Amino acid sequence: MEFLRNHQLNIMLILIGVTGILSFLVLATKSLTKKRRNALLSLELSAMFLLVFDRFAYIYRGDISTLGWWMVRISNFLVYIFSLTVVHSFNNYLIDLFTNEGGLKKIPKRLLACKIISVTGLSLVVISQFTHLYYSFDAQNNYVRSPVFFITYLFPFLMVILQLSIIIQYYFRLRRLIRIPLLIFVVIPFVATGFQIFAYGLSLTNIAICGEAIILYIFVLLDLDDTVNRANKRELEIVRDEQRNMQIMFEQTATALANAIDAKDEYTHGHSMRVAEYSKQIAMEAGKSKEFCIDIYFTGLLHDVGKIGIPNYIINKQGKLTEEEYAEIKKHPEIGKQILSGISKSPYLAIGANFHHERYDGRGYPYGLKGDDIPEIARIIAVADAYDAMTSKRSYRDPIPQDKVREEIVKGIDTQFDPEFAKIMLHMIDLDTEYQMKEHEELKELSGKKELICHEYKTTYSEGIIINQNLSKITLNYTPDHNYDAENSLPSIILFDSLDGRVQIDERKQRDMLYFEYAEIRFDGIVQDKNTRNIRTEIIKKEETDELAEFDYEIQAVRYKDHLLVEIINQIQTIRVIIALPDSTRFTYIALTGEHCTINKVEIQKSEQQISQNYIPRIAEEISYINVPAGDVPNIQIDGWCSEATFGIPVRDEMEFTFHTMSLPTARLIWHCSYVILFYSDDKKPGGKGFKNFGLVRLDGENWQSEDSSGIKMHITKTDDFEGWDAWKEKNKQGFDCSVLFKRNGNQITVLTENCGISIKCIVTVEEEVPEIYAALTGDQCAITNIHIK
């Protein structure tokens, strides 16, 4: 209290200056309603003058000069006047606030009562000047309270109580930044008044009122800022919604146009969509921006739009095109350019349509551009377009197996395709171990109604459903043909492997697709073994029937390495079949078929969680080609692309790996061999936590450059010992000892190796800062043993 007595006048002066400045700011605040701005201006000015004259009253009290006599009387009179004026101005502020933001249709009667009380209070202040009702002055010109001076507090007190009741009643009608200062404004001065009654000589109430006037305006500004921000957000949301709607409309229009293009050719259903997806994936792998990836998706979607201008008889011709017909087909890029060039905001669409048939060696059309003269977006689409063309069915052929497609992509590097994007496509093929990147045929019998109508056994069958470590559930219903006995009108499943994931009956196609059938299982539990090491069948009768209907079935199938479990479940029993497969490397597909029945309501679900090693009871010894003594590192058998790997070894200068490598009996391709991978991960495992792949080098000389690496330079030399790739594959089948030497200079690592006449020098530069660079051995369909590190 003593501090306030000593510095009270200075505090008043500061608050006077602040309220004066805020008064000018209120005038400049045009976003307020006129009534509210006037109320705030009146409140700020009243608070300012309240302290101005209160300060004069303190300065001139006890001054018996003529000036002192007048100043004391005028100042005290105006202090009482402005005390009521502040509350009156606040009342006007509340009226405007509740009739606008508060949504009240009429002014509350309590606020109208406050106006009457305010006028009454002001009248009594004037009367008291003549009657000394509130105060008087002694001979020394000092202010003296009258016995009933507390009446002066009665009027503002009643107003504050009424205002507080309104604020509490309609509290949640107002925004948070508005309602908080209202409570502060009515409560704090009221508390200060209570103290002031017992602290004569201090102007706590008036200082509190002035402070609250300042706080009120600050909160008004905060609320205005919040309102503006919310308005801006709403505007942004509206703009975003409009952009989103425009984008959706563009996507739908582009998709509809692409479907119309594909509909012209009965053999290109979904072609444009797949090319768009493959192009986008290539761009992502190449490290392109998000905007570029979106652009190339739509460019791929509309790359063949020019075919709209090609006669249908040419597009759907079954045989070989004549020179004149081929010349017509070659016009579709320029037609596409003409159609899409009108879309000025998306010039890349016309570029993709116009140049996607150019070749990297300059032998393409329509302009014969070469190398980097071909726009990048078109070079990417060219790879995606060629891949989908080879993996889709045509009038003159079935889809080409993926391994043969891969060989064609390899042949096209530097001739048909940009080597950078062709290598990315090769990497995508290597990762697509289940051959999902292809046209998925919809059998005519299953479209729409999901029915498979079976007559004679194995004359009709579904597309293959791949089985792996994720449990697959297939639910179906079947209807028997009542013209046949029950045992001759049942569904069956075929377990097989094929390059195209389809059952093959024709002997030539079986050879071409490397078709391999494991077994057939009828729904009555009869199993026909074709090519397995062992089969165990168990039929488990149910004690109580479950909710399945008579002809409802559920097939559960899962595989772990060389063992397969199939369960066929119906209302009364479970047929449990465990199969020991001949190897761990071939794929396993299930196809639905049957005899004299109709299969319908087919639904397929696949679990996201993989089964553990002990899920399937083993009925035959594990097929292993690594049961030989290990070296410094455990032996590994790699049944699929990079499915196993050694742990990482920190790369040091002059470090050397020596090992024995052998391709598995099922290996048939050049890249079924050992690989060296350079990487970083927190747990030293390829593919582990924090994995960064800097480069992968195969013993056949091919490499993969990751986006995490700044670059790979490969030098491949065929020595006099190289006898051709067939001989190279045969030597890999027989197995040989190999060594890989690492040279390191900072973040530049050189990998050197020579095998079967192939000399490899690979220089990998890692620009990214990582704690360590590791090397590990992996591969595809091979066994690596006797690994030593020098």
Side-chain angles (χ1 to χ4, degrees), residues 495 518-519 521 527-537 562-565 577-583 616-621 623:
L495 302 170
Y518 301 112
I521 306 174
V527 180
Q528 185 177 0
D529 186 355
K530 298 292 187 72
N531 290 290
T532 72
R533 290 186 294 140
N534 192 11
I535 291 183
R536 180 182 296 170
T537 304
D562 60 348
H563 271 56
L564 176 70
L565 171 63
V577 182
I578 301 175
I579 300 175
L581 302 171
D583 54 68
I616 305 175
R618 184 166 285 281
I619 60 173
E621 291 295 320
I623 297 174

Side-chain angles (χ1 to χ4, degrees), residues 386-559:
Y387 176 84
D388 188 70
M390 288 186 280
T391 56
S392 301
K393 184 178 177 63
R394 291 293 183 264
S395 60
Y396 49 88
R397 62 158 172 80
D398 286 332
I400 299 173
Q402 196 177 35
D403 61 328
K404 294 183 179 180
V405 173
R406 192 186 194 284
E407 291 180 352
E408 291 300 317
I409 297 289
V410 171
K411 290 177 184 176
I413 291 176
D414 277 325
T415 55
Q416 185 175 354
F417 309 121
D418 182 319
E420 177 187 358
F421 304 125
K423 285 186 177 182
I424 291 175
M425 177 54 79
L426 294 177
H427 181 62
M428 289 164 55
I429 292 172
D430 291 339
L431 293 178
D432 183 29
T433 56
E434 298 183 359
Y435 199 6
Q436 294 299 307
M437 292 197 309
K438 65 176 179 179
E439 175 189 26
H440 290 274
E441 181 180 358
E442 287 186 44
L443 294 179
K444 181 175 62 179
E445 291 83 0
L446 285 176
S447 62
K449 297 180 180 179
K450 297 184 178 179
E451 288 187 342
L452 188 70
I453 301 172
C454 306
H455 299 293
E456 298 300 323
Y457 184 61
K458 285 182 74 172
T459 54
T460 309
Y461 31 81
S462 71
E463 187 176 348
I465 303 161
I466 195 161
I467 305 301
N468 51 26
Q469 278 187 250
N470 301 85
L471 182 67
S472 296
K473 290 185 180 180
I474 308 164
T475 57
L476 59 88
N477 176 276
Y478 87 92
T479 305
D481 187 336
H482 296 294
N483 295 320
Y484 296 87
D485 297 336
E487 62 183 19
N488 294 319
S489 54
L490 280 171
S492 300
I493 59 174
I494 306 169
L495 302 170
F496 68 98
D497 179 33
S498 179
L499 292 177
D500 63 352
R502 293 178 172 88
V503 173
Q504 302 295 346
I505 303 300
D506 181 77
E507 289 185 7
R508 182 184 63 81
K509 285 189 176 181
Q510 286 182 345
R511 289 193 302 270
D512 291 343
M513 298 297 159
L514 301 179
Y515 183 73
F516 189 90
E517 202 164 290
Y518 301 112
E520 297 172 7
I521 306 174
R522 284 166 49 101
F523 276 32
D524 58 4
I526 297 174
V527 180
Q528 185 177 0
D529 186 355
K530 298 292 187 72
N531 290 290
T532 72
R533 290 186 294 140
N534 192 11
I535 291 183
R536 180 182 296 170
T537 304
E538 181 182 8
I539 299 179
I540 306 167
K541 297 291 184 181
K542 295 182 179 178
E543 295 181 1
E544 297 181 4
T545 60
D546 52 28
E547 296 179 357
L548 289 172
E550 181 180 359
F551 297 112
D552 284 345
Y553 280 80
E554 180 180 287
I555 304 169
Q556 296 186 6
V558 69
R559 172 180 173 171

Side-chain angles (χ1 to χ4, degrees), residues 371 646 757:
T646 65

Side-chain angles (χ1 to χ4, degrees), residues 572-770:
I572 59 174
Q573 67 184 19
T574 297
I575 302 168
R576 196 167 194 261
V577 182
I578 301 175
I579 300 175
L581 302 171
D583 54 68
S584 301
T585 53
R586 288 187 178 95
F587 288 173
T588 302
Y589 294 93
I590 282 182
L592 298 174
T593 186
E595 181 180 20
H596 305 304
C597 64
T598 300
I599 299 171
N600 53 37
K601 299 181 181 177
V602 179
E603 298 289 344
I604 303 170
Q605 294 180 334
K606 189 176 283 284
S607 171
E608 294 182 0
Q609 188 173 359
Q610 294 188 336
I611 63 167
S612 61
Q613 181 177 355
N614 299 321
Y615 188 88
I616 305 175
R618 184 166 285 281
I619 60 173
E621 291 295 320
E622 183 178 2
I623 297 174
S624 175
Y625 299 94
I626 58 174
N627 288 332
V628 295
D632 301 328
V633 175
N635 300 332
I636 56 171
Q637 179 173 318
I638 307 133
D639 295 316
W641 189 83
C642 297
S643 59
E644 299 288 343
T646 65
F647 58 82
I649 306 296
V651 178
R652 300 290 181 261
D653 191 33
E654 299 296 334
M655 182 177 76
E656 185 178 17
F657 286 174
T658 62
F659 54 92
H660 183 81
T661 179
M662 179 186 74
S663 296
L664 301 182
T666 53
R668 65 187 186 279
L669 303 169
I670 294 171
W671 57 87
H672 289 160
C673 61
S674 298
Y675 307 164
V676 176
I677 183 172
L678 296 173
F679 70 99
Y680 169 77
S681 71
D682 297 340
D683 56 6
K684 302 182 182 180
K685 296 178 181 178
K689 185 178 179 181
F691 177 69
K692 295 181 182 296
N693 180 11
F694 301 123
L696 184 145
V697 182
R698 301 190 331 211
L699 292 189
D700 66 339
E702 193 173 305
N703 71 89
W704 165 245
Q705 175 180 332
S706 168
E707 67 270 15
D708 296 320
S709 171
S710 61
I712 291 181
K713 295 181 179 179
M714 288 288 292
H715 303 278
I716 312 297
T717 305
K718 295 177 181 177
T719 68
D720 294 339
D721 295 333
F722 183 71
E723 300 173 4
W725 288 113
D726 288 337
W728 189 88
K729 287 192 290 185
E730 186 58 35
K731 288 180 181 179
N732 269 268
K733 281 282 184 75
Q734 296 171 4
F736 59 86
D737 293 327
C738 183
S739 67
V740 178
L741 179 65
F742 298 87
K743 292 181 178 291
R744 181 167 183 176
N745 181 12
N747 279 357
Q748 186 178 84
I749 297 170
T750 303
V751 182
L752 301 166
T753 186
E754 184 174 333
N755 66 90
C756 305
I758 298 293
S759 176
I760 300 171
K761 180 181 180 181
C762 177
I763 302 172
V764 179
T765 303
V766 180
E767 289 187 354
E768 186 171 352
E769 290 296 328
V770 289

Side-chain angles (χ1 to χ4, degrees), residues 77-238:
F77 169 71
L78 291 177
V79 164
Y80 278 90
I81 291 294
F82 284 117
S83 296
L84 288 167
T85 306
V86 167
V87 183
H88 180 79
S89 300
F90 181 66
N91 196 70
N92 290 336
Y93 176 79
L94 290 178
I95 290 172
D96 183 77
L97 192 64
F98 282 112
T99 54
N100 286 286
E101 273 79 351
L104 301 182
K105 294 181 179 180
K106 294 182 179 180
I107 300 173
K109 292 181 179 179
R110 280 163 287 176
L111 295 182
L112 293 174
C114 286
K115 287 192 171 190
I116 297 171
I117 294 169
S118 175
V119 172
T120 304
L122 290 170
S123 300
L124 286 177
V125 170
V126 174
I127 293 170
S128 71
Q129 301 306 302
F130 306 99
T131 62
H132 306 298
L133 178 64
Y134 293 156
Y135 59 87
S136 61
F137 301 94
D138 61 16
Q140 300 301 317
N141 204 27
N142 288 313
Y143 170 87
V144 179
R145 291 174 176 174
S146 70
V148 293
F149 87 98
F150 63 86
I151 298 175
T152 60
Y153 295 109
L154 181 61
F155 295 99
F157 177 78
L158 287 174
M159 292 173 68
V160 166
I161 291 296
L162 293 174
Q163 291 168 351
L164 180 61
S165 68
I166 292 291
I167 292 169
I168 293 172
Q169 181 178 353
Y170 301 110
Y171 186 73
F172 291 104
R173 288 197 177 201
L174 303 176
R175 295 187 296 276
R176 184 177 61 87
L177 289 174
I178 288 293
R179 62 192 186 218
I180 290 175
L182 298 185
L183 285 177
I184 294 174
F185 193 91
V186 297
V187 172
I188 298 301
F190 180 70
V191 173
T193 301
F195 280 105
Q196 183 162 331
I197 293 173
F198 305 100
Y200 186 75
L202 285 177
S203 191
L204 295 178
T205 303
N206 295 341
I207 290 175
I209 289 174
C210 192
E212 292 312 311
I214 295 169
I215 292 173
L216 181 64
Y217 183 67
I218 291 172
F219 272 88
V220 167
L221 290 181
L222 291 174
D223 180 67
L224 286 175
D225 182 65
D226 183 62
T227 303
V228 170
N229 286 336
R230 284 188 284 108
N232 288 338
K233 285 181 181 178
R234 282 197 297 270
E235 288 180 6
L236 287 173
E237 287 174 2
I238 292 170

